[in-house]
Amino acid sequence: MNLAVICRKVIKVFGDGEPVYALRGVDLQIPFGELALLVGPSGCGKTTLLCILAGLLYPTSGEVEVLGHRLHEMSSRELVRLRAREIGFVFQQYNLLPALTAQENAAVPLLIQGVPRRQALRQAAALLEELGLADRMHAYPHQLSGGQQQRVAIARALVHNPRFLVCDEPTAALDAESGRRTMELIRRVAVRPDRAVIVVTHDARIFDFGQRIIYMNDGIVVREEVPGAASTLTSGARS
Amino acid sequence: MTWIAFQMLTGDRAKYFGILLGITFATLLIAQQSSIFCGLLLTASSQIYDAKDAPIWVMDPGMQFVDDIKPLSENELMRVRGVSGVAWAARFYKGLGRARFSDGKFQQMMILGLDDTYMVGAPREIVLGRLEDLRQPDAVIMDERGYRYLWPGEPYILGRTFEMNDRRAVLVGICKASRTFQTFPIIYTRFSQAVRFAPQERKALSFILAAPKPGLDARQVSEQISRQTRLKALTRDEFAWMTIWYYLRRTGIPINFGTTVLLGFLVGTAIAGQTFYLFTIENLRQFGALKAMGVTNLRLIGMILFQGLFVGVVGYGFGIGLAAGFGVLAERSDRLSFFMPWQVMVGTGVAVLVIIGLSSIFSLRKVLVLEPAQVFRA
């Protein structure tokens, strides 16, 4: 199995005085071509794990390998470069730039990579068209509905063709119908054999979209479930 | 990325214009007040530069500035003429006198008396009449500004008469002259006439104007005059700067203008800095998202500095333009001295850069310490 993400005994401790254990030894594997859901109650360490997998935080100990890169051994400059080229982000609050149109927002990752503006806008337009936003391309974020904004955010996350897509609660700010449509979209356009997708959520309505559901609690992965197959208890959970 | 920075900056119109207003206001205040200050200093020394044909000014050693007259005796003129290296030396009278007009009005006048023979120190440009007409009895030439002040709205008419120290004065010409610090109308006349127009004093020779022989340096010759005569002999520039320094040291002018310039700087910094900071704070999530997506701190610094520089340049342009417009109006109104040398423009530009720098530093700090992981926290 070709793995996109491998975590071995990942521990993350915050705080200088009284240490707070956000992750207590996470073991995890996500193969390419899979859409994995990371679920669990608030404060269980989902977001911290997501940040570590996205190269935004260093683990306190343990090993993290993403797309063949050993993140825990990389410098922060190398991580920035990796994020710019290989990782796409979908945020809970979309975080679109209010002064840019939908098309311009979607082109931002390409502009970060130094792609000429005209070419970047052309690529962004093509993707927005594919996402059904052809007629809203020149609208500003405040002129778009929540679902449309999230679609622009998805376009932005995919426009530079990343091999790892990181989504943080992509449906949290949406109603049930928009949430389902967003997940359908992610499954349709983002899941590819050469790409892994991880979605952090505690929205049970979208669990059936995951090809693997990773349950976390109290800083460890307690259970992994591949719909249609028997659930697996992780070593962390057994101990 | 500069394009994104530009869009972010101009996208929020209210904040953009707020920052622009702060910079424009600061630039206008700094440039305008500095230019008025320079204008005032220039008027303090304007009469020295108006006497274009006199490279050396000789005066009493106790003199501190151009209006601090301590008359010399006629013997001193002979002594100066006797200094080797002096091509010629001429009398020059400078003093105040009161004019009385036919309608009974009085007006204080500045009297400049030119050597009867050489006419050194004559007005730089005669607008109406001829310089030679000064040789006529009781003749005076008046500056344009003074004429317009005394006979507002009336056409230039020669032959007008008035009294100076109970003596008749006849207007034979109108000339251009630089504005003076005291703002009184200026009349040019012969030295022999000037001493009759002015209140009687034992000595009447205000200055001796001199020139070096061809090929000699004015500064060396003025030093030679000082050594030989024990009088104070200065080149035109030295005398002008001595006058300017006197006003800088002995009057409250620099403090007054300096305070206003400082206030302009502080208010500009406060408005621009605060608005720029607010602008950054409101965009912090977006900056965080950009960081997460792979924008380096260096590029973010570049974006914020670009935004600062852009509003700085535009605000500076508007501010300098408004200050220059004010200068044009001031020049037309004849009421205010305004002189904007390149040094004022450069100095104001530096002040704007400092304002932008300070404004950016606060914003930059906030962005640089921002953890990109924070963007995942609701």
Side-chain angles (χ1 to χ4, degrees), chain B residues 309-369:
Chain B
L309 265 179
F310 183 82
V311 281
V313 168
V314 176
Y316 174 80
F318 278 132
I320 285 286
L322 287 171
F326 176 88
V328 171
L329 291 178
E331 195 63 34
R332 279 188 196 155
S333 74
D334 266 2
R335 284 168 195 273
L336 203 57
S337 308
F338 189 94
F339 175 57
M340 194 193 287
W342 64 266
Q343 289 91 339
V344 165
M345 290 197 257
V346 171
T348 308
V350 170
V352 168
L353 273 182
V354 173
I355 290 174
I356 287 300
L358 289 174
S359 307
S360 304
I361 282 170
F362 292 116
S363 303
L364 273 175
R365 208 189 129 269
K366 206 76 188 164
V367 172
L368 293 183
V369 299

Coordinates of all heavy atoms in Angstrom, one line a residue, chain B residues 309-369:
Chain B
L309 N 4.6 51.8 1.8 CA 5.3 52.6 0.8 C 4.3 53.2 -0.2 O 4.4 54.4 -0.5 CB 6.4 51.8 0.1 CG 7.8 51.9 0.6 CD1 8.7 51.1 -0.2 CD2 8.3 53.4 0.6
F310 N 3.3 52.4 -0.6 CA 2.4 52.9 -1.5 C 1.6 54.1 -1.0 O 1.5 55.1 -1.6 CB 1.4 51.7 -2.0 CG 0.5 52.2 -3.0 CD1 0.8 52.2 -4.3 CD2 -0.8 52.6 -2.7 CE1 -0.1 52.6 -5.3 CE2 -1.7 53.0 -3.7 CZ -1.3 53.0 -5.0
V311 N 1.0 53.9 0.2 CA 0.2 55.0 0.8 C 1.1 56.1 1.1 O 0.7 57.3 1.0 CB -0.6 54.6 2.1 CG1 -1.8 53.9 1.8 CG2 0.3 53.9 3.1
G312 N 2.4 55.8 1.5 CA 3.3 56.9 1.8 C 3.6 57.7 0.5 O 3.5 59.0 0.6
V313 N 3.9 57.1 -0.6 CA 4.2 57.9 -1.8 C 2.9 58.7 -2.3 O 3.0 59.9 -2.6 CB 4.6 56.9 -2.9 CG1 4.7 57.6 -4.3 CG2 6.0 56.3 -2.6
V314 N 1.8 58.0 -2.3 CA 0.6 58.7 -2.7 C 0.2 59.9 -1.8 O 0.0 61.0 -2.2 CB -0.6 57.7 -2.8 CG1 -1.9 58.5 -3.2 CG2 -0.4 56.7 -3.9
G315 N 0.3 59.6 -0.5 CA 0.0 60.6 0.5 C 1.0 61.8 0.5 O 0.6 62.9 0.6
Y316 N 2.2 61.4 0.3 CA 3.3 62.4 0.1 C 3.0 63.3 -1.1 O 3.1 64.5 -1.0 CB 4.6 61.7 0.0 CG 5.8 62.7 -0.3 CD1 6.4 63.4 0.7 CD2 6.3 62.8 -1.6 CE1 7.4 64.3 0.5 CE2 7.4 63.7 -1.8 CZ 7.9 64.4 -0.8 OH 9.0 65.2 -1.1
G317 N 2.6 62.6 -2.2 CA 2.3 63.4 -3.4 C 1.2 64.4 -3.2 O 1.3 65.6 -3.5
F318 N 0.1 63.9 -2.6 CA -1.0 64.8 -2.3 C -0.6 65.9 -1.4 O -0.9 67.1 -1.6 CB -2.1 64.0 -1.7 CG -3.0 63.2 -2.6 CD1 -3.3 61.9 -2.4 CD2 -3.5 63.9 -3.8 CE1 -4.1 61.2 -3.3 CE2 -4.3 63.2 -4.7 CZ -4.6 61.8 -4.5
G319 N 0.1 65.6 -0.3 CA 0.5 66.6 0.7 C 1.4 67.6 0.1 O 1.2 68.8 0.3
I320 N 2.4 67.2 -0.7 CA 3.4 68.2 -1.3 C 2.6 69.0 -2.3 O 2.8 70.2 -2.4 CB 4.6 67.4 -1.9 CG1 5.5 66.9 -0.9 CG2 5.3 68.3 -2.9 CD1 6.4 68.0 -0.2
G321 N 1.7 68.4 -3.0 CA 0.9 69.1 -4.0 C 0.1 70.2 -3.3 O 0.0 71.4 -3.8
L322 N -0.6 69.8 -2.2 CA -1.4 70.8 -1.5 C -0.5 71.9 -0.9 O -0.9 73.1 -1.0 CB -2.1 70.1 -0.4 CG -3.3 69.2 -0.8 CD1 -3.9 68.4 0.4 CD2 -4.4 70.1 -1.4
A323 N 0.7 71.6 -0.4 CA 1.6 72.6 0.2 C 2.0 73.5 -0.9 O 2.1 74.7 -0.7 CB 2.8 71.9 0.8
A324 N 2.3 73.0 -2.1 CA 2.8 73.8 -3.2 C 1.6 74.7 -3.6 O 1.9 75.9 -3.9 CB 3.2 72.9 -4.4
G325 N 0.4 74.2 -3.7 CA -0.8 75.0 -4.0 C -0.9 76.1 -3.0 O -1.2 77.3 -3.4
F326 N -0.7 75.8 -1.8 CA -0.8 76.9 -0.7 C 0.3 77.9 -1.0 O 0.0 79.1 -0.9 CB -0.5 76.2 0.6 CG -0.5 77.2 1.8 CD1 -1.7 77.6 2.4 CD2 0.7 77.8 2.2 CE1 -1.6 78.5 3.4 CE2 0.8 78.7 3.2 CZ -0.4 79.1 3.8
G327 N 1.5 77.5 -1.4 CA 2.6 78.4 -1.7 C 2.2 79.3 -2.9 O 2.5 80.5 -2.8
V328 N 1.6 78.8 -3.9 CA 1.2 79.6 -5.0 C 0.2 80.7 -4.6 O 0.3 81.9 -4.9 CB 0.6 78.7 -6.2 CG1 0.0 79.6 -7.2 CG2 1.6 77.8 -6.7
L329 N -0.8 80.3 -3.8 CA -1.8 81.2 -3.3 C -1.1 82.3 -2.4 O -1.4 83.5 -2.5 CB -2.9 80.5 -2.5 CG -3.8 79.6 -3.3 CD1 -4.8 78.9 -2.4 CD2 -4.5 80.4 -4.3
A330 N -0.2 81.8 -1.6 CA 0.5 82.7 -0.7 C 1.3 83.8 -1.5 O 1.3 85.0 -1.1 CB 1.5 82.0 0.3
E331 N 1.9 83.3 -2.5 CA 2.7 84.2 -3.4 C 1.8 85.2 -4.0 O 2.2 86.4 -4.1 CB 3.4 83.3 -4.5 CG 4.5 84.0 -5.2 CD 5.7 84.4 -4.3 OE1 6.0 83.6 -3.4 OE2 6.3 85.4 -4.5
R332 N 0.7 84.8 -4.4 CA -0.3 85.8 -5.1 C -0.8 86.8 -4.1 O -1.1 87.9 -4.4 CB -1.5 85.0 -5.7 CG -1.1 84.4 -7.0 CD -2.3 83.8 -7.7 NE -1.9 82.9 -8.8 CZ -2.7 81.9 -9.2 NH1 -3.9 81.7 -8.6 NH2 -2.3 81.2 -10.2
S333 N -1.0 86.3 -2.9 CA -1.7 87.2 -1.9 C -0.7 88.2 -1.3 O -1.1 89.2 -0.7 CB -2.3 86.4 -0.7 OG -1.2 85.9 0.1
D334 N 0.6 88.0 -1.5 CA 1.6 89.0 -1.0 C 1.7 89.1 0.5 O 2.2 90.0 1.1 CB 1.3 90.4 -1.5 CG 2.1 90.7 -2.8 OD1 2.8 89.8 -3.3 OD2 2.0 91.9 -3.3
R335 N 1.0 88.2 1.2 CA 0.9 88.3 2.6 C 1.8 87.3 3.4 O 2.1 87.5 4.6 CB -0.5 88.0 3.1 CG -1.5 89.2 2.8 CD -2.9 88.8 3.0 NE -3.8 89.7 2.5 CZ -4.2 90.8 3.1 NH1 -3.8 91.0 4.3 NH2 -5.0 91.7 2.5
L336 N 2.3 86.3 2.7 CA 3.0 85.3 3.4 C 4.2 84.9 2.7 O 4.2 84.8 1.4 CB 2.1 84.0 3.5 CG 2.4 83.1 4.7 CD1 2.3 83.7 6.0 CD2 1.3 81.9 4.6
S337 N 5.3 84.7 3.4 CA 6.6 84.2 2.8 C 6.5 82.7 2.6 O 6.1 82.0 3.6 CB 7.8 84.6 3.6 OG 7.7 85.9 4.0
F338 N 6.8 82.2 1.5 CA 6.7 80.8 1.3 C 7.9 80.4 0.3 O 8.0 80.9 -0.8 CB 5.4 80.4 0.6 CG 5.1 78.9 0.6 CD1 4.4 78.3 1.6 CD2 5.6 78.2 -0.5 CE1 4.2 76.9 1.5 CE2 5.4 76.8 -0.6 CZ 4.7 76.2 0.4
F339 N 8.7 79.5 0.8 CA 9.8 79.1 0.0 C 10.0 77.6 0.2 O 10.3 77.2 1.4 CB 11.1 79.9 0.3 CG 12.3 79.4 -0.4 CD1 12.3 79.3 -1.8 CD2 13.4 79.0 0.3 CE1 13.5 78.9 -2.5 CE2 14.6 78.6 -0.4 CZ 14.6 78.5 -1.8
M340 N 9.8 76.8 -0.8 CA 10.0 75.3 -0.6 C 11.2 74.8 -1.4 O 11.1 74.5 -2.6 CB 8.7 74.6 -1.1 CG 8.7 73.1 -0.6 SD 7.4 72.2 -1.5 CE 5.9 72.8 -0.8
P341 N 12.4 74.8 -0.7 CA 13.6 74.3 -1.4 C 13.5 72.8 -1.5 O 12.7 72.2 -0.8 CB 14.7 74.8 -0.5 CG 14.1 74.9 0.8 CD 12.7 75.2 0.6
W342 N 14.4 72.2 -2.2 CA 14.4 70.7 -2.4 C 14.6 70.0 -1.0 O 14.2 68.9 -0.7 CB 15.3 70.2 -3.4 CG 16.8 70.5 -3.1 CD1 17.5 71.6 -3.5 CD2 17.7 69.7 -2.4 NE1 18.8 71.5 -3.1 CE2 18.9 70.4 -2.4 CE3 17.6 68.5 -1.7 CZ2 20.1 69.9 -1.7 CZ3 18.7 68.0 -1.0 CH2 19.9 68.7 -1.0
Q343 N 15.4 70.8 -0.1 CA 15.7 70.2 1.2 C 14.4 69.9 2.0 O 14.3 68.9 2.7 CB 16.6 71.1 2.0 CG 18.0 71.1 1.4 CD 18.2 72.3 0.4 OE1 17.3 72.8 -0.2 NE2 19.5 72.7 0.2
V344 N 13.4 70.9 1.8 CA 12.1 70.7 2.5 C 11.4 69.4 2.0 O 10.9 68.6 2.8 CB 11.3 71.9 2.4 CG1 9.8 71.6 2.8 CG2 11.8 73.1 3.2
M345 N 11.5 69.3 0.7 CA 10.8 68.1 0.1 C 11.4 66.8 0.5 O 10.8 65.9 0.9 CB 10.8 68.3 -1.4 CG 9.8 69.4 -1.9 SD 9.5 69.2 -3.6 CE 10.5 70.5 -4.3
V346 N 12.8 66.8 0.5 CA 13.5 65.6 0.9 C 13.2 65.3 2.4 O 12.9 64.2 2.8 CB 15.0 65.8 0.6 CG1 15.8 64.6 1.2 CG2 15.2 65.8 -0.9
G347 N 13.3 66.4 3.2 CA 13.1 66.2 4.7 C 11.7 65.7 5.0 O 11.5 64.8 5.8
T348 N 10.7 66.3 4.3 CA 9.3 65.8 4.5 C 9.2 64.4 4.0 O 8.6 63.6 4.7 CB 8.4 66.7 3.7 OG1 8.6 68.1 4.0 CG2 6.9 66.4 4.0
G349 N 9.9 64.0 2.9 CA 9.9 62.6 2.5 C 10.4 61.7 3.5 O 9.9 60.6 3.8
V350 N 11.5 62.1 4.1 CA 12.2 61.3 5.2 C 11.2 61.1 6.3 O 11.0 60.0 6.9 CB 13.5 61.9 5.6 CG1 14.0 61.2 6.8 CG2 14.5 61.8 4.5
A351 N 10.5 62.3 6.7 CA 9.6 62.2 7.8 C 8.4 61.2 7.5 O 8.0 60.4 8.3 CB 9.0 63.6 8.1
V352 N 8.0 61.3 6.2 CA 6.9 60.3 5.8 C 7.4 58.9 5.9 O 6.7 58.0 6.4 CB 6.4 60.7 4.4 CG1 5.5 59.6 3.9 CG2 5.6 62.0 4.4
L353 N 8.7 58.7 5.5 CA 9.2 57.3 5.6 C 9.3 56.9 7.0 O 9.0 55.7 7.3 CB 10.6 57.3 5.0 CG 10.8 57.1 3.5 CD1 12.2 57.1 3.1 CD2 10.1 55.8 3.0
V354 N 9.6 57.8 7.9 CA 9.7 57.4 9.3 C 8.3 57.0 9.8 O 8.1 56.0 10.5 CB 10.3 58.5 10.2 CG1 10.2 58.2 11.7 CG2 11.7 58.7 9.8
I355 N 7.3 57.9 9.4 CA 5.9 57.6 9.8 C 5.4 56.2 9.3 O 4.9 55.4 10.1 CB 4.9 58.7 9.2 CG1 5.2 60.0 9.9 CG2 3.4 58.3 9.4 CD1 4.4 61.2 9.3
I356 N 5.7 56.0 8.1 CA 5.4 54.7 7.5 C 6.1 53.5 8.2 O 5.6 52.5 8.5 CB 5.7 54.7 5.9 CG1 4.8 55.6 5.2 CG2 5.8 53.3 5.4 CD1 3.3 55.1 5.3
G357 N 7.4 53.8 8.4 CA 8.2 52.8 9.1 C 7.6 52.4 10.5 O 7.4 51.3 10.8
L358 N 7.3 53.5 11.2 CA 6.8 53.3 12.6 C 5.4 52.5 12.5 O 5.1 51.6 13.2 CB 6.6 54.6 13.3 CG 7.9 55.3 13.7 CD1 7.6 56.7 14.3 CD2 8.6 54.5 14.8
S359 N 4.6 53.0 11.5 CA 3.3 52.4 11.4 C 3.4 50.9 11.0 O 2.7 50.0 11.5 CB 2.5 53.1 10.3 OG 2.4 54.4 10.5
S360 N 4.4 50.6 10.1 CA 4.5 49.2 9.7 C 5.1 48.3 10.8 O 4.7 47.2 10.8 CB 5.5 49.2 8.4 OG 5.0 50.1 7.5
I361 N 6.0 48.9 11.6 CA 6.7 48.1 12.6 C 5.6 47.4 13.5 O 5.7 46.2 13.8 CB 7.7 48.9 13.4 CG1 8.9 49.1 12.6 CG2 8.0 48.3 14.7 CD1 9.9 50.1 13.1
F362 N 4.6 48.3 14.0 CA 3.6 47.7 14.9 C 2.8 46.6 14.2 O 2.5 45.6 14.8 CB 2.7 48.8 15.4 CG 3.4 49.8 16.2 CD1 3.5 51.1 15.9 CD2 3.9 49.4 17.5 CE1 4.2 52.1 16.7 CE2 4.5 50.3 18.3 CZ 4.7 51.7 17.9
S363 N 2.5 46.9 12.9 CA 1.7 45.9 12.2 C 2.5 44.6 11.9 O 2.0 43.5 12.1 CB 1.2 46.5 10.8 OG 0.5 47.6 11.1
L364 N 3.8 44.9 11.5 CA 4.6 43.7 11.2 C 4.8 42.8 12.4 O 4.8 41.6 12.3 CB 6.0 44.3 10.8 CG 6.2 44.6 9.3 CD1 7.5 45.2 9.0 CD2 6.0 43.4 8.4
R365 N 5.0 43.4 13.5 CA 5.2 42.6 14.8 C 4.1 41.6 14.9 O 4.3 40.5 15.2 CB 5.3 43.6 16.0 CG 6.2 43.0 17.1 CD 6.1 43.9 18.3 NE 5.8 43.1 19.5 CZ 4.6 42.8 19.9 NH1 3.6 43.3 19.3 NH2 4.4 42.0 21.0
K366 N 2.9 42.2 14.8 CA 1.7 41.4 15.0 C 1.6 40.2 14.0 O 1.3 39.1 14.3 CB 0.4 42.3 14.8 CG -0.8 41.8 15.5 CD -0.7 42.2 16.9 CE -1.9 41.5 17.7 NZ -1.7 41.5 19.1
V367 N 2.0 40.5 12.7 CA 1.9 39.5 11.7 C 3.0 38.4 11.9 O 2.8 37.2 11.7 CB 2.0 40.1 10.3 CG1 2.1 39.1 9.2 CG2 0.8 40.9 10.1
L368 N 4.2 38.9 12.3 CA 5.4 38.0 12.4 C 5.2 37.0 13.5 O 5.7 35.9 13.4 CB 6.7 38.8 12.5 CG 7.1 39.6 11.3 CD1 8.4 40.3 11.5 CD2 7.1 38.7 10.0
V369 N 4.6 37.5 14.6 CA 4.5 36.5 15.8 C 3.2 35.6 15.6 O 3.0 34.7 16.4 CB 4.4 37.3 17.1 CG1 5.6 38.1 17.4 CG2 3.1 38.2 17.2

